[in-house]
Amino acid sequence: MAILKVSDLVVEFHTDEGIVRAVDRLNFELEAGEVLGIVGESGSGKSVSCLTLMGLLPIPPAKIRSGKILFGDNDLLKYSNAEMRKIRGHEISMIFQDPFTCLNPYLKISTQLMEVMEFHSKKTPAEARRRCLEVLEQLGIPDPELRFNSYPHQLSGGLKQRIMIAMSLLLQPKILIADEPTTALDVTIQAQILDLLKQINKDHGTSIILITHDMGVVAGLCDRVQVMYGGRLAERGSSDDIFYRTRHPYTKGLLYSIPSLTVKPGDRLDPIPGAPPDLTRVGDFCAFADRCDFVQEDCRTHRPPVTQSNEDGSHWFECYHPVEGEKNA
Amino acid sequence: MVKLAPGGPFSRERAFPPEVLKKLEEKYDLDKPIYTQYWLYMKRVVFEFDLGPSTRYADRSVNELIATKVRYSMTLGFGAMVFALLLGITAGLTASLNHNKFLDYAPMGMAMVGVSVPDFVMAYILMIIFGLSLNWLPVAGVESWQGYVLPCITLGFVYAASISRLTRGGMLEILGQDFIRTAKAKGLPKHVILLRHSLRGGLLPLVSYLGPASAGILTGSIVVEEIFLIPGIGKLLIESATNRDYTLALGCVIVFALLILVFNMVVDLVYGFLDPRVKYE
């Protein structure tokens, strides 16, 4: 059952250079209890679409042109600020890329944790405190009492990210959005944080949207993946579909650009040629056309329709000339 | 340095008889060489907190003179500071919360005027408008509290202008920080985000400015006291300098210096209190 359904979402930014269409007719669903990976390079609209879910887009310059975000039966885009505030941090919570800048340096961890419950639940301070320590404990934070009374600058990056995760889990949200949660951390800490997310997903059935540009993270963690490009969905499917039955040329490019253990020293990686599209100018054609090896005339005249790749309809892509599956990876 | 100025405390139009002059100089140690004078003076100030007798007002010590005047200067300085803080922070917050809108441009325009107009010009403009035209407030003297209003505004306005700009800048910087986005993502109400999460960091640049600002208000008070005829230390300093009242002038300077030191120290301590990352071991 889908707990979140985004349909035909269009988000634009009004800038001096023109209108940037950061998210262009995006459709996706989040199933209850799944980990959905959203992959794409910078500017592909992954973060913007998630900030839209949270109602955190700066409006203006951003503008939501059209679309629906159904959370249960309600359209989040129709919610007032006050109503959205009740959802944020309570039903849907979010953790961000850089734990070093995302915690308030002037406030104790205790304040920053407790205030989530101060405004979303009727817990007494003592109960709230107990809940905080319980979550810190669950997340494997050593000596939670001590950390609880610390300031952020007294903690390491990994600990800070755990605190961020703890903060988002205090009220057992239905959806956790993780926007590149490991990008700013050491590799070993990255693995720990990813394991933690997986564990949270298993133990509490929390649906997780994981935004990343690291295909390795996706492979290890996600049930389903959607690849975004130029504010659109390029391809979506199960992790296996994406890795082993790749259809969209862009996905293929992404996979080829990952260094692997079989690459010999001195071998060159296969980067995707060209630069990300200028989103002020993407119109009614394939956003990837200029960088695609398989580009043909129709790619430049119309936006490709959503095409189904398998019978049960779980694997989709937006391309006229898909690569044949089963050959890659 | 005071002694380098020509003349002495007893050189007047009507000269004293030489023997009287000699007696006087003996009393105030002025007959001794300058380094001995310095030594004696320092010893007295440091160990006895005694700034010596006034060379102009016989029978009155500098301590006494300053003590009677300090009340006026403190009231003026304090009033100016409170005025500057209230106006400056309000304007700065308003501007930062309405970034790039009318309510940003208007107070910042005022602030621009505020920093550009010198206080002696400001003083006369205020006097003409509120004192002479509208007749609301006295233009000189401090017989009642109303007498302090115009001097405080004059003295505080420049600082209100700087404070509003600092507040605006600090707040805008904080409001753009990632942790403010986190606070929003937590679903906190606006006033909590503003008061709990932003204000502290946003006002930090202001706090570090308050040290120099209080020093500025002190020195500014010299001019303002003169204009509005307030019998404070500033006026005392000017008089003592023109009278070559060595001990009194030095005494005033020492008091000013001490106050500035204390203000800066307080500011540093407050800073440490506000920003947990700054710790005094």
Side-chain angles (χ1 to χ4, degrees), chain B residues 214-232:
Chain B
S214 355
I217 283 188
L218 273 180
T219 44
S221 72
I222 299 174
V223 179
V224 174
E225 281 177 15
E226 187 66 25
I227 295 174
F228 287 97
L229 302 178
I230 299 171

Side-chain angles (χ1 to χ4, degrees), chain A residues 177-230:
Chain A
I177 302 173
D179 188 351
E180 306 196 27
T182 57
T183 312
L185 304 172
D186 297 344
V187 183
T188 46
I189 309 295
Q190 281 186 11
Q192 291 174 12
I193 296 291
L194 292 174
D195 283 348
L196 200 58
L197 290 175
K198 203 176 209 166
Q199 186 202 327
I200 291 161
N201 170 252
K202 280 223 178 71
D203 294 355
H204 304 289
T206 313
S207 306
I208 296 179
I209 299 179
L210 182 73
I211 304 175
T212 179
H213 44 231
D214 185 341
M215 289 302 256
V217 169
V218 169
L221 200 62
C222 299
D223 303 311
R224 280 192 312 144
V225 184
Q226 60 190 34
V227 180
M228 285 190 69
Y229 187 82

Side-chain angles (χ1 to χ4, degrees), chain A residues 14-293:
Chain A
H14 292 250
T15 69
D16 294 341
E17 280 91 60
I19 296 171
V20 175
R21 197 168 258 218
V23 175
D24 191 6
R25 281 165 290 171
L26 181 71
N27 290 286
F28 73 89
E29 288 170 10
L30 179 70
E31 302 291 330
E34 76 166 344
V35 182
L36 171 67
I38 302 185
V39 209
E41 57 199 20
S42 311
S44 61
K46 30 188 215 316
S47 292
V48 172
S49 49
C50 286
L51 287 174
T52 314
L53 298 185
M54 293 288 286
L56 286 179
L57 274 186
I59 299 174
K63 191 175 178 194
I64 298 167
R65 274 312 267 257
S66 64
K68 272 189 192 147
I69 299 176
L70 290 177
F71 178 60
D73 294 325
N74 306 309
D75 186 354
L76 292 185
L77 293 181
K78 293 213 173 72
Y79 271 28
S80 69
N81 278 338
E83 287 171 315
M84 262 327 275
R85 198 149 59 225
K86 293 202 183 89
I87 301 277
R88 285 201 288 264
H90 188 193
E91 312 250 11
I92 307 177
S93 57
M94 187 161 185
I95 53 179
F96 298 97
Q97 184 170 348
D98 190 351
F100 293 86
T101 58
C102 284
L103 287 168
N104 191 327
Y106 305 111
L107 299 174
K108 279 190 175 175
I109 301 294
S110 53
T111 315
Q112 301 191 50
L113 286 175
M114 301 265 281
E115 67 185 358
V116 180
M117 283 177 287
E118 188 182 336
F119 297 104
H120 288 304
S121 74
K122 292 188 176 67
K123 283 193 167 72
T124 62
E127 285 170 338
R129 192 187 146 81
R130 217 171 306 133
R131 171 71 184 148
C132 291
L133 291 170
E134 182 192 10
V135 174
L136 292 182
E137 188 106 43
Q138 275 173 15
L139 296 190
I141 291 171
D143 208 347
E145 195 90 29
L146 174 74
R147 315 295 182 212
F148 190 61
N149 291 311
S150 304
Y151 283 102
H153 68 276
Q154 296 165 322
L155 308 178
S156 67
L159 268 179
K160 278 185 206 162
Q161 193 59 295
R162 277 167 203 256
I163 298 284
M164 286 295 294
I165 296 175
M167 199 183 281
S168 61
L169 291 179
L170 286 169
L171 296 165
Q172 300 187 309
K174 296 196 176 77
I175 304 174
L176 173 62
I177 302 173
D179 188 351
E180 306 196 27
T182 57
T183 312
L185 304 172
D186 297 344
V187 183
T188 46
I189 309 295
Q190 281 186 11
Q192 291 174 12
I193 296 291
L194 292 174
D195 283 348
L196 200 58
L197 290 175
K198 203 176 209 166
Q199 186 202 327
I200 291 161
N201 170 252
K202 280 223 178 71
D203 294 355
H204 304 289
T206 313
S207 306
I208 296 179
I209 299 179
L210 182 73
I211 304 175
T212 179
H213 44 231
D214 185 341
M215 289 302 256
V217 169
V218 169
L221 200 62
C222 299
D223 303 311
R224 280 192 312 144
V225 184
Q226 60 190 34
V227 180
M228 285 190 69
Y229 187 82
R232 303 166 182 184
L233 208 57
E235 183 167 6
R236 75 171 295 183
S238 67
S239 293
D240 284 351
D241 286 334
I242 298 294
F243 280 92
Y244 301 112
R245 292 180 285 276
T246 316
R247 301 305 303 275
H248 198 284
Y250 175 64
T251 317
K252 184 171 158 250
L254 274 184
L255 292 171
Y256 273 131
S257 58
I258 306 171
S260 78
L261 289 176
T262 53
V263 176
K264 287 187 269 322
D267 281 1
R268 292 182 64 101
L269 289 172
D270 257 329
I272 302 174
D278 176 359
L279 292 179
T280 54
R281 248 175 293 169
V282 173
D284 204 17
F285 50 88
C286 177
F288 190 57
D290 287 341
R291 303 167 75 186
C292 184
D293 292 338

Side-chain angles (χ1 to χ4, degrees), chain B residues 5-235:
Chain B
F10 310 113
S11 42
R12 306 253 180 93
E13 281 154 34
R14 198 163 63 82
F16 288 99
E19 55 271 34
V20 178
L21 192 62
K22 192 148 179 295
K23 261 278 185 292
L24 277 170
E25 289 197 329
E26 239 165 66
K27 184 180 173 216
Y28 293 108
D29 296 328
L30 290 174
D31 51 343
K32 305 198 173 64
I34 188 138
Y35 50 86
T36 324
Q37 285 182 37
Y38 181 73
W39 171 244
L40 286 171
Y41 182 73
M42 286 307 283
K43 212 165 68 178
R44 210 168 45 203
V45 171
V46 175
F47 293 107
E48 297 163 30
F49 302 110
D50 181 5
L51 295 166
S54 164
T55 47
R56 175 77 165 87
Y57 304 97
D59 310 326
R60 303 194 66 180
S61 73
V62 172
N63 288 29
E64 225 179 278
L65 278 169
I66 290 179
T68 54
K69 306 285 185 181
V70 84
R71 190 167 58 91
Y72 300 106
S73 294
M74 285 307 241
T75 315
L76 173 64
F78 189 72
M81 200 49 149
V82 169
F83 169 75
L85 283 173
L86 282 181
L87 182 66
I89 293 181
T90 315
L93 282 182
T94 313
S96 67
L97 294 179
N98 297 287
H99 187 35
N100 284 346
K101 294 187 200 145
F102 175 73
L103 279 177
D104 182 9
Y105 297 134
M108 284 308 111
M110 281 302 286
M112 203 60 213
V113 175
V115 287
S116 319
V117 179
D119 46 9
F120 52 87
V121 175
M122 189 74 185
Y124 292 118
I125 294 176
L126 288 176
M127 279 183 179
I128 290 168
I129 297 177
F130 294 102
L132 303 179
S133 302
L134 298 172
N135 226 345
W136 287 352
L137 297 161
V139 291
V142 282
E143 284 73 41
S144 60
W145 65 269
Q146 284 100 328
Y148 282 110
V149 175
L150 290 185
C152 285
I153 294 177
T154 308
L155 190 51
F157 199 76
V158 181
Y159 299 95
S162 314
I163 287 171
S164 68
R165 295 174 65 92
L166 280 169
T167 308
R168 173 178 177 272
M171 286 303 287
L172 281 181
E173 194 189 322
I174 293 289
L175 289 174
Q177 293 278 325
D178 285 347
F179 59 77
I180 296 300
R181 189 184 53 187
T182 310
K184 285 182 191 157
K186 283 197 276 190
L188 302 181
K190 261 199 174 123
H191 66 271
V192 176
I193 296 180
L194 183 67
L195 294 177
R196 191 182 290 172
H197 284 267
S198 330
L199 216 49
R200 243 199 214 198
L203 292 187
L204 272 184
L206 169 62
V207 170
S208 39
Y209 171 71
L210 285 187
S214 355
I217 283 188
L218 273 180
T219 44
S221 72
I222 299 174
V223 179
V224 174
E225 281 177 15
E226 187 66 25
I227 295 174
F228 287 97
L229 302 178
I230 299 171
I233 313 184
K235 205 156 170 2

